[in-house]
Amino acid sequence: MSQTVKANCRFCGYQCGLTATVVEGRVVAVKPDPTQYPGDARIQGGCHRWRLVPEFMDHPKRVNYPLKRVGERGSGKWQRVGWEEALGEIAGKLARLKESFGPETLATCIGGPHAVFWPLHRFMTLFGSPNNVGIGQICWNPGTLINSVTYGWTIDNELDPGLTNCAILWGVNQAESDNSLLWSRIVAYADTGKPLVVIDPRRTRTAERATHWLAPRPGSDAVLALGLLQVVVSEGLYDAQFVRDWCHGFEKLARHVAWYTPEYVQAATGIKAETVAEVARLFARQSPSAIFSGRGIDQIGANSVPTHHAIACLRALTGNLDLKGASHITEMPDFVPELDLELSDQLPERAREKQLGAPKLQSYDAYRRIRRLTLKHGKRLPMRYLTSAQPNLVWRAMLTGRPYPIRALIVMATNPLLTQADSGLLYEALKSLDLLVVLELFQTPTSALADYVLPSAGVLERALFETKAGTSNLIYGGAKAVEPYYERRCDFYFWRDLGRLMGQEEQWPWESFEESLEATLAPTGVSWETFSRFGLYSLPEEYGKHLRVDPATGSRAGFATTTGKVELYSELLAQVGAPPLPSPQVQHPPGGDFPLQLITGARYQPYYASSFRQFEGLRALHPEPWAEVAATTARKLGLKDDSAVWVATRRGKARFRLKVSEMCEETVSLEYGWWYPELPLAGSDPGGLFRSNANVLTDADYETCDPLVGTATYNGIPCACWPCEAGPNAGTRSQTG
Ligand code: SF4
């Protein structure tokens, strides 16, 4: 008998509503359901992925049963085992490793969006290891930490076509990275004709909508942001009353940015001085103005945090903080926040001391300082993700045993050999482990090296409970549409059952994932069943919250910072030994054998990160990875559009298909996440891992990472590019000069 049920797509981080037709427990058809948050018919109309749901549910390459390695690591020889057998063996191995090396010998690595993070963190807290490698250093953490030290908490930017009068999208390409609610708002906003500034070295599909497209040289974004501040300050375009009443350190910031005149910025970024001045004036005069900073800034490397920092100052100086149509400071959830689900406060001091690297801001010390301040406003940031381990140091500890040995890794919903910097180093590190467990939907180059591969429940097979990591009072999602096919399981059960086997029984009281969600919702008074029917929990936003009056004292709430004001000059950064004002680092200029600048991380529909290349229908739309260069650069280098090219850095080289595009000159932009599921996974090049993988070329060294958050350098890397027909080793000075 056929049933129609509500469901959610989770083929990207956006998780649109669907209606599924289910026959005897199998999904036979889906269609968009824009009545469910965050629904918008235009989003799904332009998306290829949700249409794949029935094929995805039973794709021949899905992992359906637990697998145990029986040959050499990476040999592709597997034996099907039962869940209980796999869990028992993994628990036994972990117990022995913990006994020999301490709990920090276990690391984890997470991605998304088909996973829930808090059970992993809960297990790791109770196990006693600080070593989770997230994607936070290149996604969310830099902006979240900087906004927290500047404003006392995180913010959400707003783009309201009816209200917002000027918008800047900086390193944001929502047209390709997610077909998200933001993209539909960008399209609606662009239709109004109001100023839309897109800052990106490439003329992306998002940039095509812009009234102003600015293409700074890779890595020069912080200088551009300081230049915008310089114009706002020197021309008196700031909100004088807000600055006087609610900003700390204006004079210091004013002196600091005085150097960054439009002419100086032009020399450093390649953007005309008059354009810098025009954009600064538009942004300051047209309030409410919104400024979004995206992954393009998170991934700059050493200049990621200074760029976010300057943008945070610009937003506040121009009075666009906590202002309708510009941004709002978010609220603590009414429901149980991730911080408590993860039992973060129970992480032993000994484990905190073992944090590898401890960059100045992404550290337990900085977290404690921020928390002391936010607690005055009743707020607590999530801890485990904002203190996650620095990836490069984790890989190095695996290989060298220093400063202590990391001998086991559990990977969940990510393919780090494609998505983390320096794939070569990571490949050697994974091969050296005593235990590698991968929870996945499909076999990947990473799972090819595993001891155990465990089948994850994916789209429609698991309940969805999407929050903003406990920093905002919003949940959306709903019940699963069908029971998982075969022996797939929601990852919650992996962590719960492993925990129960390892002495954590009392901390895992729930019999089902849904029961844990019921408990999470309990403080709101909304049941899981009611929530699933509506699919959304949120409250209306308030603005100008710093002006709230405490009835007991009669004083204003202010901001949760050291001074109670927006800290243009950050006292907290000064306390942790970091520059209190946005201070760009000098970059190594390209030259010699590597005369161009590389940017990695470009995304294109229909793919999402390293996913979906198994689907023939999608491969037909976009069969090969692109290396993009400007027409002038292509001419200079003798590169032809649509020809095969090598791209090389000092790390190695990889092959791409050349695409001549409108973008910064002397720059190569690579599409990331490429591997070839049609190639064998056994052997030394699993799934063609080393052929077209942008992360074969990226730098990961901790010593050159951003010193505040530990972000590796994904952009602005010196590189060379030459035609494949010239030979694999032909390209360097002779090809490029
Ligand atoms: S892939 Fe993303 S944008 Fe497309 S339908 Fe699914 S959740 Fe929505």
Side-chain angles (χ1 to χ4, degrees), residues 9 11-12 15-16 43-44 47 49-50 179:
C9 176
F11 284 161
C12 77
Q15 314 190 343
C16 301
I43 298 167
Q44 287 171 301
C47 177
R49 291 190 291 248
W50 63 266
N179 273 358

Side-chain angles (χ1 to χ4, degrees), residues 649-677:
T649 66
R650 70 185 178 93
R651 294 266 168 197
K653 62 178 182 291
R655 253 177 102 110
F656 294 84
R657 178 75 39 191
L658 192 86
K659 186 171 183 315
V660 174
S661 298
E662 269 190 88
M663 58 181 285
C664 248
E665 293 179 9
E666 312 288 319
T667 300
V668 181
S669 168
L670 294 185
E671 187 176 357
Y672 102 114
W674 262 89
W675 62 289
Y676 299 90

Side-chain angles (χ1 to χ4, degrees), residues 163-203:
L163 269 182
T164 312
N165 287 322
C166 176
I168 298 180
L169 306 177
W170 202 322
V172 172
N173 184 15
Q174 224 65 30
E176 305 282 1
S177 54
D178 276 347
N179 273 358
S180 75
L181 187 60
L182 176 57
W183 174 233
S184 98
R185 290 205 177 130
I186 292 167
V187 172
Y189 175 84
D191 287 345
T192 66
K194 290 189 269 192
L196 174 61
V197 180
V198 174
I199 303 176
D200 198 306
R202 298 178 300 132
R203 188 169 167 83

Side-chain angles (χ1 to χ4, degrees), residues 591-651:
D593 283 349
F594 302 110
L596 307 172
Q597 281 194 295
L598 182 67
I599 50 179
T600 65
R603 304 171 183 204
Y604 297 94
Q605 294 285 333
Y607 303 118
Y608 184 78
S610 65
S611 305
F612 301 121
R613 286 162 183 86
Q614 299 88 345
F615 289 83
E616 286 174 11
L618 300 188
R619 281 297 281 282
L621 294 171
H622 185 17
E624 287 186 82
W626 285 329
E628 290 179 85
V629 298
T632 46
T633 308
R635 261 196 307 279
K636 189 169 162 190
L637 299 174
L639 305 173
K640 294 191 204 86
D641 195 26
D642 205 32
S643 64
V645 293
W646 288 106
V647 178
T649 66
R650 70 185 178 93
R651 294 266 168 197

Side-chain angles (χ1 to χ4, degrees), residues 46-62:
C47 177
H48 295 278
R49 291 190 291 248
W50 63 266
R51 300 162 213 268
L52 298 171
V53 167
E55 182 185 350
F56 174 89
M57 298 289 296
D58 219 356
H59 192 281
K61 288 188 184 278
R62 280 289 293 270

Side-chain angles (χ1 to χ4, degrees), residues 99-434:
E99 179 71 30
S100 303
F101 303 111
E104 59 277 7
T105 202
L106 171 64
T108 50
C109 189
I110 50 176
H114 51 279
V116 54
F117 291 177
W118 69 258
L120 174 149
H121 288 305
R122 189 179 184 94
F123 175 87
M124 287 292 273
T125 299
L126 296 167
F127 191 83
S129 172
N131 286 322
N132 176 60
V133 176
I135 43 174
Q137 279 99 348
I138 53 164
C139 177
W140 200 68
N141 287 13
T144 297
L145 287 165
I146 275 297
N147 288 337
S148 297
V149 301
T150 309
Y151 311 142
W153 194 247
T154 69
I155 59 155
D156 270 351
N157 293 300
E158 296 184 5
L159 185 59
D160 181 333
L163 269 182
T164 312
N165 287 322
C166 176
I168 298 180
L169 306 177
W170 202 322
V172 172
N173 184 15
Q174 224 65 30
E176 305 282 1
S177 54
D178 276 347
N179 273 358
S180 75
L181 187 60
L182 176 57
W183 174 233
S184 98
R185 290 205 177 130
I186 292 167
V187 172
Y189 175 84
D191 287 345
T192 66
K194 290 189 269 192
L196 174 61
V197 180
V198 174
I199 303 176
D200 198 306
R202 298 178 300 132
R203 188 169 167 83
T204 59
R205 279 209 293 137
T206 307
E208 283 170 10
R209 300 271 177 172
T211 55
H212 299 68
W213 168 49
L214 277 58
R217 289 185 192 115
S220 66
D221 303 69
V223 173
L224 175 57
L226 286 159
L228 297 177
L229 281 168
Q230 191 275 344
V231 175
V232 168
V233 170
S234 67
E235 297 187 8
L237 301 175
Y238 49 89
D239 182 333
Q241 188 175 348
F242 183 75
V243 168
R244 190 180 58 241
D245 295 345
W246 292 109
C247 290
H248 168 73
F250 174 74
E251 297 302 330
K252 286 178 178 160
L253 180 72
R255 279 197 298 278
H256 181 70
V257 302
W259 295 98
Y260 296 90
T261 61
E263 293 69 29
Y264 178 91
V265 174
Q266 176 172 329
T269 67
I271 295 169
K272 286 187 180 152
E274 54 267 33
T275 306
V276 176
E278 184 192 356
V279 167
R281 289 171 194 146
L282 278 173
F283 188 79
R285 287 178 177 151
Q286 306 255 9
S287 183
S289 296
I291 182 162
F292 292 77
S293 47
R295 301 295 90 85
I297 294 180
D298 289 348
Q299 297 178 3
I300 293 170
N303 277 325
S304 169
V305 169
T307 309
H308 279 292
H309 195 174
I311 289 172
C313 292
L314 183 66
R315 184 183 292 112
L317 265 192
T318 52
N320 285 299
L321 176 64
D322 221 16
L323 177 74
K324 196 167 170 56
S327 68
H328 61 264
I329 294 178
T330 56
E331 296 283 13
M332 214 38 208
D334 294 338
F335 47 92
V336 181
E338 267 82 343
L339 176 81
D340 294 334
L341 291 167
E342 292 165 5
L343 303 175
S344 303
D345 291 344
Q346 294 186 30
L347 185 71
E349 197 52 44
R350 176 186 182 280
R352 297 173 200 226
E353 285 164 7
K354 295 278 180 178
Q355 186 190 12
L356 289 173
K360 289 182 173 129
L361 199 46
Q362 185 159 314
S363 66
Y364 288 99
D365 173 53
Y367 177 85
R368 256 190 297 265
R369 290 171 190 270
I370 295 171
R371 179 154 151 167
R372 267 203 292 273
L373 299 168
T374 62
L375 267 177
K376 292 182 193 156
H377 286 223
K379 292 177 168 181
R380 296 169 299 147
L381 284 171
M383 186 169 83
R384 295 306 309 264
Y385 202 65
L386 289 174
T387 50
S388 57
Q390 209 283 333
N392 182 246
L393 295 183
V394 172
W395 317 146
R396 277 153 60 169
M398 289 173 181
L399 280 169
T400 66
R402 291 194 298 273
Y404 52 78
I406 293 183
R407 304 301 317 143
L409 177 69
I410 303 179
V411 175
M412 179 174 85
T414 186
N415 189 359
L417 281 172
L418 271 298
T419 55
Q420 293 279 348
D422 197 350
S423 308
L425 177 82
L426 178 54
Y427 179 75
E428 294 304 323
L430 297 187
K431 281 203 309 179
S432 75
L433 288 171
D434 292 330

